[in-house]
Amino acid sequence: MKNTKSYIDQHKNRFLNELIELLKIPSVSADSTYKNDVLKTAEVVKDSLKAAGCDTVEICKTEGFPIVYGEKIIDSNLPTVLVYGHYDVQPADPIELWDSPPYEPIIKTTDIHPEGAIFARGACDDKGQMYMHVKALEFMTSTNQLPCNVKFMIEGEEEVGSVSLSKFVEENHEKLKNDVILISDTGMIAKDVPSITTGLRGLSYVEVEVTGPNRDLHSGLYGGAVANPINILTKMIASLHDENNHITIPGFYDRVEELSKDERAQMAKAPFSIEAYQKAIDIDSVYGEEGYTTNERNSIRPTLDVNGIWGGYIGEGAKTVIASKAYAKISMRLVPNQDWEDITQLFKTHFENIAPKGVRVKVTPHHGGQGYVTPIDSIGYQAASKAYEDTFGKTPIPQRSGGSIPIVSLFEKELKSKTILMGFGLNSDAIHSPNEHFGVWNYLKGIETIPLFYKYFTELKK
Amino acid sequence: MKNTKSYIDQHKNRFLNELIELLKIPSVSADSTYKNDVLKTAEVVKDSLKAAGCDTVEICKTEGFPIVYGEKIIDSNLPTVLVYGHYDVQPADPIELWDSPPYEPIIKTTDIHPEGAIFARGACDDKGQMYMHVKALEFMTSTNQLPCNVKFMIEGEEEVGSVSLSKFVEENHEKLKNDVILISDTGMIAKDVPSITTGLRGLSYVEVEVTGPNRDLHSGLYGGAVANPINILTKMIASLHDENNHITIPGFYDRVEELSKDERAQMAKAPFSIEAYQKAIDIDSVYGEEGYTTNERNSIRPTLDVNGIWGGYIGEGAKTVIASKAYAKISMRLVPNQDWEDITQLFKTHFENIAPKGVRVKVTPHHGGQGYVTPIDSIGYQAASKAYEDTFGKTPIPQRSGGSIPIVSLFEKELKSKTILMGFGLNSDAIHSPNEHFGVWNYLKGIETIPLFYKYFTELKK
């Protein structure tokens, strides 16, 4: 590729301003209040793809939020790269913990990002990383260096389970035909330690409701004599882990892939400081499943976390009441081979079984997806590796991520192609948290690295 | 007493309308949003006491909400009854479960109240029961039948711990001097089973906060590797009861009064149907401490109930997050001899001790009060008993209530006088719950019975 650096230098400010405009739209897919903002975002993405050089761009309606599809086919004999990303974002709550409004992007410098970082919900996950691909395409088309065909599929329901996308992929095999799928929705180990994500965890997300009496009761008149749904819920949730923090749901571990000593030894080589890890989130100790390291606990081991809990009086002051109902949102991160629908059913059955007399339990599955592992000997992986070598001057490290991109395994099943996860975010970018941000350096480095993937993938394919 | 029934018949509608006006003011002491409504309610109570015949009525300022004091002294040689009540109410949440707005009183008939019941927050607890005493005074003064002196002390902080009242009582021994204290803030066993409450439980109310990481974290990237404050909170709360539902806080039961076989046998004689109890609140089974009956569990045994819990994402849809903090409001009902401040300290120490590494715990005491037991051989109890015999045609049953009126034990300590608890509400009146109500029949029966207490108490005192 020629003049990548100079092109980026020349258009840097525009690249930043375009992303900032995109980040101003609160495209929260989980909250129907933002429906119109999500739809508006799809339009902006469509226009950006058109401007970047796609020949055809369309907004594909679904039962949920639309999928933006665009393509530039230069020669049917050349390989085709399918870029996937999402334009929806996580809710911004708790809003009060943001130093600046989540939808008023601002560039500030940090210790890790001396060149500045864009602070906004979605800056890294995934608007910023998705937009790197749009700008990389712009560079290749406007300098006549696009070496192969490219297709874009940008969805608006990733943060709520990609329900519509699954259907869309199943129904559009021909349209989405490709030789490799490219995604930037993960992170890298550190700015000076490029990495390629080779594994993702699956996910099962459920909501539980425990009902006791048919109305809130006076805790004096009834306290001690009836099952308190909140006390019961805490007992039930607490029982889901044993004293070694193993998950107690019968059958939960049956299909968990056990890594070999060798593989675990390889993982252990990735640079990691437990002190820095604890300091970054201000905890005095890590916590988790006996027998595994921190990096193993958050990548190759399944988990069960309560993401939200509520019940009774949560206002100011005191209310002496026994609530009629208590609720929790619970998610399980799964490892390859665990089937999310099986696990969801195992959870449901177990949770209903452990409910004591005096309460009724309802388990509602939200969404989920399978885990994924990609081989490091594929052409796609090698092309990505060479691209990083050019722009970072070192070979990237393959790493398992604890996160989930549920549709990746679906892509393999339906489209029969491998996914390459080139992430440019950092764990410290606070995705899903207040003050999410994305380094300006990372953003531009992505735009610089991506075209090289196209180059090497096309060459290796020959 | 003469013409009680005819007077009540004649003024019945006004008695109801006056109470309805009082109930329209949302005097929620726990929520500062309602500050002005609470103050306005004090004014209305003051005017009602003046109108009912008190010679002097004043609004006594405190550091919190004011205390309305009124008195009618007819002869210093005659005994003095001190009436206590409260004009503040519990929060109305969860508001969506009310069939009619909590501050728009409406009279509807129910199976238990064929004569109709007033539905509104505070209808029974305690505006309705407090106002019976105002109307009883009006009857006695306007028919020249007041047999003794009377003092009223109506506070506005009962639902939040009566903090200011304690100080007020300590500083006004002379002003509050009396021969017996009369309170209607409890219930009766059934409309055809009059009862006098002889015991109250104490209370310790605390709020706990569990802090893990310094910000919300992505549950994929960190899940399994850090202590999740919500999971930890559920474990900690669950551990506060053992498998027999005994409370596990060291020292918690040390001073608990154990009743004799005889006393328990006496209690067991009170009419009670477990089927009706379960049906009324739609549960398939009761639940509680091993070795005790339902009526024992909610009266002579201490409890620990979570009144509210919250943390993480509780909005619509799903958010895969590990919250930085989780919270709970927890109250313990105590029995006579348990000191609420000791218990609060025992809880705090224990809860801090069981916090695992990786989280920080904060325990904030809200308020509390001591339990109380009153003898049944006192003049006050006998006077009340005779009053019920006249109006109900049967002798009332002495019963322990599971509720708490923290200041009752303070009254005994500071004013050296016994309290008589003449309650006219029913357990089914849903106090502290949505659709709180108070039977019209109960309201008028109270107004009819109270003057007879004055009569018999004065006679027995001679």
Side-chain angles (χ1 to χ4, degrees), chain B residues 101 133 156 173 203 313:
Chain B
H133 290 270
H173 287 185
L203 177 73
Y313 182 67

Side-chain angles (χ1 to χ4, degrees), chain B residues 108-183:
Chain B
K108 288 183 291 188
T109 60
T110 71
D111 296 350
I112 297 175
H113 299 293
E115 312 83 358
I118 307 174
F119 283 76
R121 168 56 82 230
C124 179
D125 177 16
D126 181 48
K127 285 175 174 171
Q129 296 213 75
M130 175 270 290
Y131 208 67
M132 295 183 308
H133 290 270
V134 180
K135 294 298 97 179
L137 175 65
E138 173 197 309
F139 160 69
M140 292 185 284
T141 53
S142 58
T143 59
N144 299 311
Q145 296 186 82
L146 181 64
C148 61
N149 306 309
V150 56
K151 296 175 176 177
F152 276 77
M153 174 170 61
I154 313 300
E155 72 154 318
E157 295 182 327
E158 197 272 346
E159 301 294 3
V160 291
S162 304
V163 183
S164 306
L165 185 77
S166 313
K167 197 153 167 294
F168 181 76
V169 171
E170 287 157 15
E171 293 171 354
N172 293 279
H173 287 185
E174 191 48 41
K175 177 188 207 125
L176 301 174
K177 200 164 178 308
N178 67 80
D179 298 280
V180 70
I181 296 166
L182 184 60
I183 303 179

Side-chain angles (χ1 to χ4, degrees), chain A residues 12 33 45 69 183 203 218 273 279 311 315 391:
Chain A
K12 179 182 164 179
T33 331
V45 171
Y69 177 83
I183 303 178
L203 178 72
H218 184 293
S273 155
K279 185 164 178 295
T391 54

Side-chain angles (χ1 to χ4, degrees), chain B residues 25 34 47 49 140 158 170 221 226 235 272 274 433 442:
Chain B
I25 318 171
Y34 297 100
D47 299 343
L49 284 172
M140 292 185 284
E158 197 272 346
E170 287 157 15
L221 302 184
V226 302
K235 262 196 180 327
F272 178 74
I274 192 75
S433 307
N442 303 65

Side-chain angles (χ1 to χ4, degrees), chain A residues 233-241 245 247 287 303-309 329-331, chain B residues 210 224 226-238 309 321-323 325-326 356 359:
Chain A
L233 179 61
T234 63
K235 261 198 179 334
M236 291 174 72
I237 290 173
S239 77
L240 298 175
H241 289 91
N245 282 308
I247 293 157
Y287 183 93
T303 69
L304 187 151
D305 273 301
V306 183
N307 302 112
I309 190 166
K329 293 175 192 274
I330 298 174
S331 67
Chain B
V210 174
V226 302
N228 176 328
I230 303 178
N231 287 73
I232 297 298
L233 178 61
T234 62
K235 262 196 180 327
M236 291 174 72
I237 291 173
I309 190 166
V321 69
I322 293 174
K325 291 173 181 290
V359 300

Side-chain angles (χ1 to χ4, degrees), chain A residues 373-425:
Chain A
V373 196
T374 185
I376 65 171
D377 56 7
S378 69
I379 289 175
Y381 186 90
Q382 290 165 39
S385 187
K386 289 165 72 66
Y388 280 107
E389 282 161 30
D390 286 6
T391 54
F392 285 80
K394 54 180 77 170
T395 308
I397 295 174
Q399 75 160 351
R400 293 281 197 101
S401 164
S404 307
I405 309 179
I407 35 59
V408 169
S409 57
L410 179 94
F411 291 161
E412 177 150 22
K413 176 162 160 287
E414 295 291 326
L415 305 176
K416 310 281 179 267
S417 48
K418 293 282 176 200
T419 293
I420 303 303
L421 298 157
M422 293 175 74
F424 292 89

Side-chain angles (χ1 to χ4, degrees), chain B residues 13-68:
Chain B
N13 291 334
R14 178 171 56 82
F15 288 178
L16 286 169
N17 293 334
E18 287 175 11
L19 175 56
I20 284 169
E21 289 310 307
L22 186 63
L23 292 168
K24 285 180 180 173
I25 318 171
S27 51
V28 181
S29 50
D31 186 343
S32 50
T33 331
Y34 297 100
K35 185 167 188 286
N36 292 333
D37 297 299
V38 182
L39 296 172
K40 184 175 163 203
T41 310
E43 291 293 340
V44 174
V45 171
K46 176 188 168 213
D47 299 343
S48 69
L49 284 172
K50 191 81 188 155
C54 283
D55 301 325
T56 47
V57 189
E58 53 183 323
I59 290 197
C60 309
K61 285 207 167 34
T62 72
E63 284 175 15
F65 290 117
I67 289 153
V68 183

